[in-house]
Amino acid sequence: MHVTKDDATATDAIDITTAGEAIEPEVVPADRPKRRALVVEDEALIRMDVVETLRDAGYDVVGEAGDGEQAVALATELKPDIVVMDVKMPVLDGISAAERIGKAHLAPVVLLTAFSQTELVERARDAGAMAYVVKPFSPADLLPAVEIAISRYAQITALEAEVADMADRFETRKRVDRAKGLLMSKMGLSEPESFRWIQKTSMDRRLTMREVADAVIEQVGGGAS
């Protein structure tokens, strides 16, 4: 639909073409505390490997556990920034533990698995896991997944703070994800940059993130949902 100047709203006036220019590189303060990690894996050698990988990357591993029940208890007690957890564990499996941690809004979870079947991935997603890594893995596999999980968790937390109703929250997340994808493919932004642009634009224009996302979808995606 063609929008005339007289019909234009605040969202119509958003200049999507400058999205890349509006994003400055994220600067991490030198004095920011180390991110705190909880590692949950019943196989000691793999757990040691994960702990070492995270510590070498600058994470503070504040807790270790060998089963899902311990994972939930330690996540509740320690409030880590990230939980890296195996799927197949005694007492309580990793997906069930991730679901409990997610429902309590304790921390983002990265699941470790020996399998990559679609059903398992869907179960992990439904349980609230932010990312998963298939064994055997290297630091080059694990560390990006951890960063993605932390970033996505922060995005979801920001959206949930904006939208109280559960149904509206789901729709908002869906539209923001669609808008992020368009900014990534059309403007060359990364996922975190896309979200930061939507968030910054919503604050600058005094719009909700859903309104900004709808404007992106309309202008860049031709109104596709």
Side-chain angles (χ1 to χ4, degrees):
M1 179 179 70
H2 177 68
V3 181
T4 67
K5 185 175 180 180
D6 292 336
D7 295 329
T9 66
T11 53
D12 296 322
I14 294 174
D15 187 0
I16 307 298
T17 62
T18 61
E21 301 169 15
I23 293 297
E24 298 178 358
E26 187 174 17
V27 178
V28 178
D31 59 347
R32 187 186 77 177
K34 289 183 177 181
R35 282 174 168 158
R36 303 164 72 254
L38 170 62
V39 177
V40 189
E41 166 65 68
D42 62 318
E43 295 186 36
L45 289 177
I46 297 178
R47 185 168 70 244
M48 289 171 58
D49 187 41
V50 173
V51 169
E52 182 179 0
T53 297
L54 291 174
R55 284 180 174 156
D56 287 348
Y59 287 82
D60 181 12
V61 179
V62 295
E64 299 179 39
D67 66 66
E69 285 287 1
Q70 286 182 319
V72 176
L74 285 177
T76 303
E77 176 188 350
L78 300 172
K79 301 293 193 297
D81 297 306
I82 186 70
V83 177
V84 179
M85 182 162 52
D86 190 26
V87 167
K88 190 175 181 181
M89 289 189 300
V91 186
L92 183 70
D93 69 86
I95 290 181
S96 298
E99 187 172 20
R100 290 192 193 178
I101 290 169
K103 284 184 176 179
H105 301 284
L106 298 175
V109 175
V110 173
L111 287 175
L112 308 177
T113 174
F115 309 98
S116 58
Q117 297 101 322
T118 301
E119 181 183 356
L120 181 63
V121 173
E122 290 177 351
R123 282 187 62 207
R125 182 195 61 212
D126 293 343
M130 296 291 106
Y132 76 97
V133 179
V134 178
K135 300 176 184 178
F137 53 83
S138 68
D141 300 316
L142 177 62
L143 295 174
V146 168
E147 289 298 322
I148 287 170
I150 292 173
S151 175
R152 286 178 177 168
Y153 188 76
Q155 293 176 21
I156 290 170
T157 301
L159 288 172
E160 289 182 349
E162 181 178 280
V163 184
D165 182 76
M166 287 295 293
D168 286 346
R169 186 180 294 174
F170 175 77
E171 184 62 27
T172 295
R173 280 178 56 180
K174 189 170 76 170
R175 295 190 192 189
V176 169
D177 283 344
R178 169 66 174 154
K180 283 192 304 180
L182 288 168
L183 290 172
M184 290 164 65
S185 63
K186 303 295 185 182
M187 302 299 167
L189 301 182
S190 67
E191 183 185 15
E193 286 172 341
S194 298
F195 184 80
R196 288 205 306 275
W197 184 86
I198 292 170
Q199 194 173 38
K200 182 178 184 299
T201 302
S202 78
M203 290 187 291
D204 290 347
R205 298 289 182 135
R206 296 182 182 179
L207 301 167
T208 66
M209 282 189 273
R210 178 167 170 171
E211 288 173 326
V212 175
D214 284 343
V216 172
I217 293 168
E218 180 65 30
Q219 294 181 41
V220 182
S225 58

